[in-house]
Amino acid sequence: MRKLLSGLICVVGFTLNMGTSFAQTQGEELVFTSISVSPRSQLKNFISNVQSASGTFEQAQVVMGWGAAEGQTLKTSDLQKGEFIFERPGKFLWIVKEPLEQQIVSDGKKLYQYDPDLLQVTERNVKQAIGTSPASILFGNSKIEESFKLTNLPEKEGWLRATPKQSDSGMKYLDIHLVDSKPVEILILDSFDKMTSIKFTSLKEGNPKGSSAFKLQNIPKNVDRVKL
């Protein structure tokens, strides 16, 4: 199983009149205006008010330092680049374009991973695959605090820490950096003390592909299919 899947999957409404507004026009880049809103409230605002969005990402393994939340310099390796679309609750498309192509798709019930170089599609139950993970925070519903303890990190402006309430979640915590009520980076520390950084750019509200986004694309007929 690729590092991407382990990094991403391993991956109460806040009303607008409490100091935050956001662009609602589908296809336009999300622009928020926040007035002294805590990172915890910004995250809950994003989850409650942004029902679908698309963007690009860069993911890498952190090989030195323990994250911006502790104020140390990060050095990364194994850089991956791609794009994503999500629609709450639980539907998403995560495509790696560099260095090797890969697709991860959830239709809300099943999660599929396609590795073209292996000619293999892996299928699993989405609840079992996502569980308490970064994906459940980014693409799930507003009941985030049922699974995570959220703590603002006052030493780093705009950062909060989400700690899983389940000890067998596969990660110790993830730190989320929010700017104007949208996530720009997450740092995931897994149960083996390995850290992954995922940076988000060009975040736009809305699903530009509709329901077709949550289906595997261009899959050859001769692929091996594995159910887990």
Side-chain angles (χ1 to χ4, degrees), residues 1 12 23-24 28 37-38 44 49 51 54 73 82 93 95-96 110 138 140 162 181-182 188-189 193-194 209 219:
M1 195 64 63
V12 181
Q24 291 183 301
E28 292 185 359
V37 180
S38 71
K44 293 168 72 175
N49 294 307
Q51 297 304 306
S54 63
T73 301
L93 168 67
I95 298 179
V96 179
K110 298 290 184 180
L138 295 173
S181 293
K182 61 180 178 180
I188 307 160
L189 183 66
D193 288 331
K194 293 183 179 180
K209 294 185 178 181
I219 306 300

Side-chain angles (χ1 to χ4, degrees), residues 44-183:
K44 293 168 72 175
N45 181 34
F46 173 74
I47 293 172
S48 296
N49 294 307
V50 180
Q51 297 304 306
S52 62
S54 63
T56 57
F57 69 86
E58 290 188 357
Q59 175 173 317
Q61 296 296 308
V62 177
V63 294
M64 289 185 64
W66 288 112
E70 280 72 26
Q72 298 187 21
T73 301
L74 299 182
K75 294 184 179 180
T76 58
S77 64
D78 300 329
L79 181 65
Q80 297 176 330
K81 297 182 180 181
E83 59 188 33
F84 66 91
I85 300 172
F86 75 83
E87 186 175 300
R88 303 188 195 280
K91 296 180 180 180
F92 62 87
L93 168 67
W94 188 272
I95 298 179
V96 179
K97 293 190 172 182
E98 299 177 18
L100 294 175
E101 182 184 348
Q102 186 183 44
Q103 294 183 45
I104 300 175
V105 179
S106 168
D107 61 8
K109 296 180 180 179
K110 298 290 184 180
L111 184 140
Y112 304 91
Q113 178 177 335
Y114 171 47
D115 295 300
D117 57 325
L118 301 177
L119 278 178
Q120 183 180 83
V121 173
T122 303
E123 175 186 333
R124 60 183 66 191
N125 182 282
V126 71
K127 290 184 179 180
Q128 295 175 342
I130 293 179
T132 304
S133 70
S136 68
I137 290 182
L138 295 173
F139 313 133
N141 57 34
S142 61
K143 298 179 180 179
I144 181 175
E145 290 186 287
E146 291 183 0
S147 301
F148 293 90
K149 177 183 177 182
L150 303 181
T151 307
N152 293 321
L153 298 175
E155 67 274 19
K156 293 297 294 183
E157 183 178 358
W159 286 84
L160 67 82
R161 177 161 296 175
T163 305
K165 293 183 178 180
Q166 296 181 1
S167 59
D168 59 348
S169 65
M171 67 175 176
K172 293 183 176 180
Y173 64 79
L174 68 151
D175 291 348
I176 308 172
H177 185 198
L178 294 111
V179 176
D180 295 333
S181 293
K182 61 180 178 180

